[in-house]
Amino acid sequence: MELSTVWFVLIALLWFGYLFLEGFDFGVGMLLGVLGRTETERRVMVNTIGPVWDGNEVWMIVAVGATFAAFPSWYASLLSGAFLPILVILLALIGRGVAFEYRGKVDSARWRRNWDRVIFFGSWLPPLGWGLVLTATVVGLPINARGDLVGGPIALLRWETLLGALAVAGFSLVHGAVFTALKTEGAIRARARRLALGIGPIALLPLVGLLGFSVLGGAVVLVLAGLALWRLWLEREGQAFLLLGALAAAAVATLFGSLYPDVLPSTLDTAFSLTVANASASPYTLTVMTWVAAFGTPAVLAYQAWTYWVFRQRIGTRHIPAVHAP
């Protein structure tokens, strides 16, 4: 297998890792004000992702960085064409990160409510934006022979890309509810389970619809979604969480598998499409990247796995010190 194909597969794996890991902490942020009915409960929810949310973002950084190094033409055409949604994503991520750090700095209910709103919007906008951008990558964009987007940012708005935005956001919402049920105890856990079971069939529907072009891919995702909700109903939150991970893997494999050997199809003329062959970096660059990844990736995976193991226990309101404001 050529190194350009290897790196195409690796980039798909990186996006899977990002959607699986960052997806649940986006979901926790989306549901912060829904499942957390008191300040103590909201602190419990923030603490479920506190040790891992910043590490989860590394997957996105590496995915974009690998695209830049391995497929510079793909990176240039996609990120320049989608600069507006990506700018919104970055601003939302910055605000979200600041909110996690600052919401507890002042003992004021109003102060915390304002930062909770930042977390809410900062958790909804990125999955919507990445769903839009990644779906546009798969279905194609109107790029010309120079790789420039024709029509400006509005060209990204098609029914398929809007469905992709809803698909990623809906998955994150359910994933976050299941993760909250997995990591908490008592009333928050019960609330999260009920919510995931109630909204799951609706929230995951856009993802099934997005994969409608592939009978096999859509069927696999549909079965995995049903199994995840069934195991959740039986209070097997860990199994439900892993099944949602398998669902994300199936979705990414279906989308990127349908894309190959293109990396960014042109809807103007197939001759303008960027492919694994014509968009890749030099063989020397890919070789160096492969050696660096071979040594660096195991260390990063080991560290992140250790972090999840250390913070594997459930937490509840009894673990949170008393606060002055409800």
Side-chain angles (χ1 to χ4, degrees), residues 178 181 189 193 197 223-244:
V178 172
R189 177 191 179 192
R193 283 185 60 253
L197 291 170
V223 169
L224 289 171
L227 287 174
L229 295 176
W230 173 54
R231 299 314 291 172
L232 182 63
W233 181 69
L234 294 176
E235 299 187 13
R236 299 293 190 269
E237 293 95 342
Q239 295 176 18
F241 182 76
L242 292 177
L243 284 165
L244 286 176

Side-chain angles (χ1 to χ4, degrees), residues 9-315:
V9 174
L10 289 175
I11 288 170
L13 288 173
L14 288 168
W15 280 114
F16 156 68
Y18 179 67
L19 295 174
F20 175 50
L21 296 176
E22 186 89 292
F24 71 73
D25 72 53
F26 282 145
V28 172
M30 293 173 178
L31 297 170
L32 185 61
V34 177
L35 298 178
R37 297 182 178 177
T38 66
E39 171 57 20
T40 302
E41 291 183 341
R42 289 188 286 274
R43 288 176 66 188
V44 168
M45 293 186 65
V46 170
N47 285 348
T48 62
I49 59 174
V52 298
W53 69 266
D54 49 353
N56 294 342
E57 290 187 354
V58 171
W59 289 80
M60 177 265 293
I61 296 170
V62 177
V64 174
T67 304
F68 168 75
F71 300 98
S73 299
W74 182 12
Y75 173 91
S77 296
L78 179 62
L79 270 72
S80 61
F83 74 92
L84 189 56
I86 289 176
L87 176 62
V88 172
I89 290 169
L90 292 178
L91 291 175
L93 290 175
I94 292 170
R96 182 172 179 265
V98 172
F100 282 138
E101 299 296 330
Y102 275 77
R103 75 177 302 277
K105 297 296 185 183
V106 176
D107 186 16
S108 163
R110 181 179 180 183
W111 170 272
R112 288 188 291 265
R113 279 196 304 269
N114 288 335
W115 285 118
D116 286 347
R117 292 187 184 101
V118 176
I119 293 173
F120 175 81
F121 288 108
S123 298
W124 271 100
L125 292 174
L128 287 169
W130 284 126
L132 183 78
V133 172
L134 292 175
T135 307
T137 302
V138 175
V139 301
L141 289 172
I143 55 174
N144 58 26
R146 298 176 54 191
D148 297 330
L149 183 68
V150 177
I154 196 70
L156 273 74
L157 300 180
R158 297 166 50 185
W159 74 264
E160 299 100 326
T161 59
L162 295 175
L163 185 62
L166 293 176
V168 175
F171 169 77
S172 299
L173 190 67
V174 177
H175 202 28
V178 172
F179 179 78
T180 302
L182 173 64
K183 285 290 294 178
T184 59
E185 59 184 33
I188 306 176
R189 177 191 179 192
R191 218 174 287 147
R193 283 185 60 253
R194 287 196 302 269
L195 181 68
L197 291 170
I199 67 172
I202 299 173
L204 294 175
L205 192 60
L207 183 58
V208 177
L210 180 65
L211 301 178
F213 66 89
S214 170
V215 175
L216 178 60
V220 169
V221 166
L222 186 61
V223 169
L224 289 171
L227 287 174
L229 295 176
W230 173 54
R231 299 314 291 172
L232 182 63
W233 181 69
L234 294 176
E235 299 187 13
R236 299 293 190 269
E237 293 95 342
Q239 295 176 18
F241 182 76
L242 292 177
L243 284 165
L244 286 176
L247 182 153
V252 170
T254 301
L255 291 172
F256 276 82
S258 69
L259 176 61
Y260 185 84
D262 290 337
V263 293
L264 185 59
S266 172
T267 57
L268 296 179
D269 190 330
T270 55
F272 302 155
S273 296
L274 299 178
T275 68
V276 168
N278 66 25
S280 66
S282 68
Y284 176 77
T285 300
L286 295 177
T287 301
V288 172
M289 289 175 60
T290 303
W291 280 107
V292 171
F295 285 99
T297 303
V300 173
L301 291 176
Y303 171 76
Q304 195 161 27
W306 176 80
T307 302
Y308 277 93
W309 176 256
V310 169
F311 295 100
R312 67 189 182 279
Q313 300 296 331
R314 293 180 183 271
I315 63 173

